[in-house]
Amino acid sequence: MVQVLLTALVVVVLAGVAYTVAAARVVKQYERGVVLRFGRLRNDVRGPGFTMVLPGVDRLRKVNMQIVTMPVPAQDGITRDNVTVRVDAVIYFKVVDASSAVVEVEDYRFAVSQMAQTSLRSIIGKSDLDDLLSNREKLNQGLELMIDSPAVGWGVQIDRVEIKDVSLPETMKRSMARQAEADRERRARVINADAELQASKKLSQAAAEMSSEPAALQLRLLQTVVAVAAEKNSTLVLPFPVELLRFLERAQQPTAPEAVESPPQVPKAPAGTAPPVEPADPVESAETAEPAEPTEPTEPAPSSEAPASPTPPSPAPGPARTAPAPKRAPAAASPRLRPASTGSKPLARH
């Protein structure tokens, strides 16, 4: 009898141990347990720690509550400005409602992945290439809203979505490189032009200061010679400023009052001879010049004293003619002074 009781006790203990092993469950700290009894959802969600379920009656499903990092496969698309690109992204999400994640969707990970791919394609078609390259923050927010709207009903919360890489065709890369190079060259030319403008202003101020003192220009020339000679060159090129030549030329020219005070003297003609014909001025016009008046023959004046030498015969009677003068050039073209006119009549000796 005792042996039968001991055998029954052992059987009961073994059955209890087997039941305990079959009913015992351990839920980790980052997990939550959803119990389905005969396929029906139990309202109580099992927290972390040790829990018991009815073997063969209850079924416990553990749901991970950690943030999941899921890469979105690269998607080929055409932007709004007709550029073919290949964009991939990464999505961060977590489960906030374990019951909805189990009941509302078959596989919430797969559902979130597919929703992220379709939303990424939609974002590519609505955006320009410049936005994909430089304005990613705005696109990330739009992509997050597009994925989060259906995911809320699945008990999933989208924490963050980031566009990871944008791949461009090789032709587009070369075009963008040429554009960047042209922009850099434009900026360099603007900077050089600005530098030239500032340098020209400073040089004009320096030239204004040097123009008042010619010696300053000569000293600057000597400084240039010293700077060139410091390189130990075998050939020295000495620049000679044109302003210095003009200064020397102005120093050699006579002033206008001196030319007026000392007019050229006209030699007197001997008695009984025709006066010398004044050389025609090359600047006088033949069309405007009037012919000189005819001159009368002069008679020798009586003298009390005998002439020392016989008087040369007088010229044949008749008017004296002069050659027509050439054309007169404009007054501004001939700056020299003309000698004073002595008249067209001959001088008679008394």
Side-chain angles (χ1 to χ4, degrees), residues 29-44:
Q29 181 65 38
Y30 54 85
E31 295 178 340
R32 297 295 182 270
V34 178
V35 179
L36 298 174
R37 180 168 293 175
F38 296 109
R40 189 173 182 178
L41 178 66
R42 300 277 299 181
N43 294 329
D44 55 335

Side-chain angles (χ1 to χ4, degrees), residues 12-37:
V12 172
V13 171
L14 292 178
V17 172
Y19 177 81
T20 303
V21 171
R25 296 289 187 272
V26 176
V27 180
K28 298 180 182 178
Q29 181 65 38
Y30 54 85
E31 295 178 340
R32 297 295 182 270
V34 178
V35 179
L36 298 174
R37 180 168 293 175

Side-chain angles (χ1 to χ4, degrees), residues 6 11 15 34 56 64 73 75-76 92 127 138 148-149 163 172 183 197 224 230 240 255 279 296 305-306 324 331 343:
L6 291 176
V11 171
V34 178
N64 193 340
Q75 302 296 315
D76 294 329
Y92 303 89
S127 305
K138 182 179 179 181
D148 189 63
S149 298
I163 295 177
M172 181 58 64
D183 183 67
L197 177 60
T224 305
F240 201 80
T255 59
E296 297 179 357
E305 299 179 0

Side-chain angles (χ1 to χ4, degrees), residues 54-212:
L54 298 177
V57 178
D58 295 342
R59 183 178 179 185
L60 180 67
R61 292 191 59 178
K62 300 177 183 179
V63 180
N64 193 340
M65 306 297 289
Q66 290 178 320
I67 295 177
V68 180
T69 303
M70 178 183 296
V72 181
Q75 302 296 315
D76 294 329
I78 300 177
T79 61
R80 190 167 58 181
D81 51 354
N82 298 326
V83 179
T84 304
V85 294
R86 185 179 180 87
V87 183
D88 58 350
V90 59
I91 183 172
Y92 303 89
F93 67 94
K94 65 179 180 179
V95 177
V96 294
D97 189 357
S99 300
S100 299
V102 173
V103 176
E104 299 297 335
V105 63
E106 180 182 3
D107 188 352
Y108 66 91
R109 291 175 179 265
F110 181 76
V112 171
S113 176
Q114 294 300 314
M115 180 57 65
Q117 295 181 32
T118 55
S119 300
L120 183 58
R121 284 178 176 270
S122 179
I123 284 292
I124 293 173
K126 294 179 181 179
S127 305
D128 295 333
L129 179 61
D130 294 338
D131 294 336
L132 288 174
L133 297 177
S134 60
N135 196 12
R136 294 188 181 181
E137 190 67 27
K138 182 179 179 181
L139 297 181
N140 293 337
Q141 294 177 1
L143 190 58
E144 180 180 347
L145 291 176
M146 294 179 65
I147 302 174
D148 189 63
S149 298
V152 171
W154 305 335
V156 178
Q157 178 183 352
I158 305 300
D159 282 351
R160 194 171 184 180
V161 180
E162 293 287 343
I163 295 177
K164 187 166 59 174
D165 187 22
V166 178
S167 300
L168 299 175
E170 293 297 329
T171 55
M172 181 58 64
K173 290 182 180 179
R174 289 194 294 268
S175 299
M176 295 177 66
R178 289 195 300 268
Q179 178 184 0
E181 183 179 358
D183 183 67
R184 290 287 182 179
E185 185 176 358
R186 177 186 63 82
R187 292 169 59 183
R189 289 183 179 181
V190 170
I191 294 174
N192 289 336
D194 191 13
E196 291 293 338
L197 177 60
Q198 296 179 8
S200 63
K201 290 181 180 179
K202 295 298 181 182
L203 288 176
S204 63
Q205 295 177 4
E209 292 292 334
M210 289 184 180
S211 61
S212 61

